[in-house]
Amino acid sequence: MAKTKTAEPRRNTGKAERALGHRLKRLRTESQKPPIGPHAGEAGPTRHSVALDCGWGRLLFSQTYPDNPSIIDALSHEGDKRRDIAFYVRDPHVLLSLAPQETFLDPSHTYRLDLSTYRASRRKPKSFFIRRLASQVDADAVNTIYAARNMVTVSPDFFWANRDSRSITYIVAEDETTGDVIGTVTGVDHQRLFGDPERGSSLWCLAVDPQCRHPGVGEMLVRRLAEHFQARGAAFMDLSVMHDNEQAIALYEKLGFRRVPIFAVKRKNPINERLFAGPIQGYDELNPYARIIVDEARRRGIQVEVTDAAGGFFSLAYGGRSVHCRESLSEMTSGVAVSICDDKAVTRRVVERAGLKVPDQIAVESDGDEAIAAFLARHGSIVVKPARGEQGRGVSVGLETPEDTRAAIRTALEVCDRVLLEACFQGEDLRLVVIDYKLVAAAIRRPPCVIGDGEHDLRTLIERQSRRRAAATGGESTIPVDADTGRCLAGQGLSLDTVLEAGREIVVRKTANLHTGGSIHDVTGIVHPRLVDAACAAARAIKIPVVGIDFMVRRATEPDYVFIEANERPGLANHEPQPTAQRFIDLLFPHSRPIPASQSPSGRPEQSP
């Protein structure tokens, strides 16, 4: 009995001690969890449920989570309009089985660079340099590049708050001449973030401005980040790249990256829809101008049927309403409006009656017309273009001699049997996209340029720049080497065989059309109100709900202009980050709007007269 009485208190004490031990263990576990916020994981080494907020979403380092259910639970807390990524998933098939309706296996490959054997390149960047993100202006520029590359944008305040982070690094490339940020990359130091025993690091969000004129920007950004982590003692640098991004994969393999069996899992959301939803027949054959609209429609749950991929035709259906489109041309644009835009002489007369300023113009039907010499003598410099045509075909700018003018007329006659001669207005080419009679986007279109390197002739430089423009635009933009190119070079005392000195930049064609190698630079936020009024007035005069109005202007910030033409099927993909596709779908299906129609995603009201 004595043993029994004395043993009972010891049993109670053991239970109390065990209970206390469990409570202490829970407290220790809680104390090891990373703090909430952008600097999560920097409070000290931890291997417990590490999720790094990157602004566009969270990176979940799956190797730090205790089990698969905890990863699924973390993904379920993904924020609105965010994209979380669970990386380093050990058993993706098991993880997916826990929530097959909510998650999917990201169709990306993982590549790894062994930093112990990596050797830095001796080649230095030309005409640009690499540095850390250093200002709010840098953050805004990075967001612009993200938007142009269809990536999720980040609050500029987030970039600024993390500029001194020990675990996340933002690097940018800056154009030496203009000071513009032309590329960016983000790096994560795993060891500093959560005490990674493997001493890993990773690369995220590599992006180069699609209008960038310099070769090798992406390569130099990757190299600088690799050297940064190598200096910190990291063992390797990983990255995730879409399986069909052949251009990026070729770059990574060139730098020594090797594919490794590491997987990522994401949550099904509108941003990721194209990665997990059933493919639309013909989608891959669509051009970028049709695809941007189809993508926006799918994000809103609008049914899409591609009716002729090669021609850019598709049908959209929502709420019992169906609309057939060819890129940004829909059934809402009348045949009369299309015919007005189709004939540049008719367009000019219509907008002139509406009070717009137009250049002097005549029509000719052969290169022997007697009016040619008189018109050229009257204006000194003229433009020759077919009365009907698109994408800059047959257009020649800045002609000053009868011989060049007649040759240009013969070229234009191959496009249309009627040719227009127009007084040349010296300035910049401005495209204004008007949807529902409101300005949605404005951009300066600049002619193609190349920058000399002191080694290669102009023919080679043009060919390389043409390849870069094609890669950046899905094959839509290339630089022709033709009579107009030769004429432009000759006017500068150059030829295709000239080796341009390093750093010298020249224009190689006078036309700024995207399809002939031109580049597009957004000016929506600074365009002069009088230009906005004129563009909206032109749209109302033509009675066209979606149109691209082209002006020649001194500057986008000044009111002087002359009307050039109206495009009934403007390329909406050329104007990101402005919400052109969103406003187009708003027009077709107003009840599908996810946000108030009067407010753009950037918070800036659209402009209208």
Side-chain angles (χ1 to χ4, degrees):
M1 293 295 294
K3 287 185 178 180
T4 302
K5 289 180 181 180
T6 56
E8 193 65 35
R10 283 198 296 270
R11 275 200 303 270
N12 291 339
T13 301
K15 288 181 179 178
E17 289 175 347
R18 285 194 297 272
L20 177 61
H22 290 316
R23 285 196 297 272
L24 290 173
K25 185 177 181 180
R26 284 198 301 272
L27 288 171
R28 283 196 298 269
T29 301
E30 289 296 322
S31 69
Q32 290 173 345
K33 289 184 179 180
I36 298 173
H39 296 283
E42 292 193 354
T46 178
R47 305 184 191 284
H48 297 276
S49 304
V50 177
L52 177 67
D53 187 357
C54 297
W56 41 260
R58 297 173 302 162
L59 275 176
L60 279 58
F61 290 86
S62 300
Q63 69 270 46
T64 70
Y65 282 74
D67 49 40
N68 284 327
S70 62
I71 299 174
I72 293 295
D73 180 65
L75 285 172
S76 71
H77 290 89
E78 180 181 67
D80 183 41
K81 297 180 181 178
R82 304 287 288 265
R83 183 193 63 176
D84 288 354
I85 304 174
F87 202 42
Y88 298 104
V89 177
R90 295 186 187 89
D91 302 308
H93 55 299
V94 177
L95 183 67
L96 294 172
S97 70
L98 300 177
Q101 302 302 318
E102 300 175 16
T103 58
F104 70 98
L105 185 65
D106 183 40
S108 296
H109 295 323
T110 300
Y111 279 79
R112 172 169 293 181
L113 180 66
D114 185 347
L115 295 178
S116 66
T117 59
Y118 171 75
R119 295 294 177 265
S121 172
R122 294 182 179 179
R123 185 167 65 90
K124 301 299 181 183
K126 294 181 179 180
S127 304
F128 67 93
F129 59 91
I130 309 297
R131 60 173 174 80
R132 296 283 289 269
L133 182 143
S135 69
Q136 202 78 25
V137 174
D138 288 348
D140 291 335
V142 168
N143 258 338
T144 299
I145 294 174
Y146 282 176
R149 290 296 190 180
N150 295 312
M151 298 163 65
V152 181
T153 55
V154 177
S155 167
D157 292 338
F158 183 91
F159 283 123
W160 192 240
N162 281 273
R163 67 190 184 280
D164 296 323
S165 169
R166 297 178 68 249
S167 56
I168 190 166
T169 301
Y170 298 109
I171 295 176
V172 298
E174 179 181 323
D175 187 304
E176 287 184 350
T177 303
T178 65
D180 295 337
V181 170
I182 54 176
T184 178
V185 70
T186 302
V188 177
D189 188 325
H190 303 178
Q191 190 172 14
R192 297 195 179 199
L193 177 63
F194 60 90
D196 182 11
E198 296 183 348
R199 295 183 295 112
S201 64
S202 53
L203 175 155
W204 301 92
C205 300
L206 175 66
V208 177
D209 187 341
Q211 310 300 334
C212 177
R213 298 162 297 172
H214 306 293
V217 174
E219 177 180 342
M220 289 303 169
L221 285 166
V222 175
R223 286 188 178 279
R224 176 60 63 85
L225 190 63
E227 292 159 16
H228 169 75
F229 286 135
Q230 188 180 50
R232 283 187 169 190
F236 57 83
M237 182 170 73
D238 290 345
L239 60 84
S240 180
V241 57
M242 286 298 298
H243 69 96
D244 56 357
N245 192 345
E246 296 178 358
Q247 184 181 13
I249 289 173
L251 168 63
Y252 299 140
E253 291 181 341
K254 168 189 170 183
L255 296 179
F257 283 84
R258 295 292 178 264
R259 188 174 163 189
V260 291
I262 292 172
F263 304 97
V265 170
K266 297 177 181 176
R267 186 169 177 267
K268 294 179 180 178
N269 62 28
I271 297 172
N272 294 324
E273 183 175 6
R274 68 183 183 86
L275 302 178
F276 64 83
I280 299 175
Q281 186 174 2
Y283 175 85
D284 291 339
E285 286 75 45
L286 291 173
N287 64 36
Y289 308 113
R291 193 174 295 177
I292 187 175
I293 297 170
V294 168
D295 288 344
E296 176 63 22
R298 295 187 76 190
R299 275 193 286 270
R300 300 195 192 187
I302 296 171
Q303 182 179 348
V304 178
E305 179 186 0
V306 177
T307 54
D308 185 86
F313 289 89
F314 52 88
S315 179
L316 306 177
Y318 183 83
R321 172 183 170 82
S322 178
V323 181
H324 204 195
C325 305
R326 183 183 188 188
E327 299 167 9
S328 63
L329 177 64
S330 76
E331 295 170 350
M332 296 186 69
T333 297
S334 71
V336 173
V338 171
S339 65
I340 290 173
C341 293
D342 180 56
D343 191 317
K344 295 177 176 62
V346 174
T347 316
R348 178 184 178 277
R349 293 196 295 270
V350 169
V351 301
E352 184 179 19
R353 287 195 293 269
L356 273 74
K357 300 174 186 177
V358 297
D360 191 15
Q361 184 186 90
I362 64 170
V364 298
E365 295 183 352
S366 74
D367 62 342
D369 196 304
E370 295 179 359
I372 296 172
F375 191 83
L376 182 60
R378 185 161 66 248
H379 294 289
S381 179
I382 67 172
V383 177
V384 170
K385 59 187 179 183
R388 289 187 170 92
E390 59 182 4
Q391 299 183 349
R393 288 193 292 267
V395 178
S396 299
V397 177
L399 303 168
E400 297 179 348
T401 68
E403 295 77 17
D404 286 345
T405 300
R406 296 182 194 284
I409 290 172
R410 290 192 293 272
T411 299
L413 285 169
E414 297 175 2
V415 179
C416 178
D417 58 6
R418 188 162 51 92
V419 174
L420 303 176
L421 274 58
E422 200 167 79
C424 188
F425 182 94
Q426 296 299 324
E428 295 187 306
D429 187 328
L430 176 67
R431 162 63 63 89
L432 301 107
V433 176
V434 177
I435 299 177
D436 198 17
Y437 307 105
K438 302 179 184 70
L439 179 74
V440 177
I444 291 293
R445 303 189 296 180
R446 296 193 176 120
C449 302
V450 298
I451 300 173
D453 60 5
E455 299 176 8
H456 300 92
D457 59 29
L458 282 172
R459 187 188 306 276
T460 302
L461 295 179
I462 292 171
E463 290 173 352
R464 289 181 175 180
Q465 177 68 358
S466 184
R467 286 196 297 269
R468 285 194 293 274
R469 296 295 298 133
T473 60
E476 293 295 314
S477 179
T478 57
I479 306 174
V481 178
D482 56 14
D484 194 46
T485 307
R487 192 162 46 242
C488 182
L489 295 178
Q492 303 171 79
L494 306 169
S495 73
L496 291 170
D497 297 323
T498 301
V499 176
L500 206 63
E501 54 267 32
R504 181 182 174 187
E505 181 177 12
I506 63 159
V507 174
V508 298
R509 291 179 66 86
K510 292 186 178 180
T511 54
N513 192 282
L514 175 75
H515 293 87
T516 54
S519 58
I520 295 178
H521 307 267
D522 182 70
V523 294
T524 308
I526 62 173
V527 66
H528 196 281
R530 195 173 298 175
L531 303 179
V532 176
D533 293 348
C536 294
R540 291 187 183 280
I542 301 169
K543 297 181 180 178
I544 186 167
V546 180
V547 64
I549 302 294
D550 292 343
F551 291 159
M552 289 298 296
V553 300
R554 301 293 182 193
R555 290 184 180 84
T557 54
E558 298 179 6
D560 295 333
Y561 76 92
V562 293
F563 172 88
I564 302 301
E565 63 183 44
N567 189 321
E568 75 280 4
R569 185 161 48 97
L572 303 186
N574 299 332
H575 295 275
E576 294 173 307
Q578 301 306 326
T580 53
Q582 293 95 311
R583 298 295 85 87
F584 180 74
I585 297 296
D586 287 347
L587 175 70
L588 269 54
F589 302 100
H591 294 299
S592 72
R593 292 172 179 164
I595 58 174
S598 62
Q599 193 75 14
S600 73
S602 63
R604 181 173 62 247
E606 295 166 351
Q607 302 177 56
S608 62

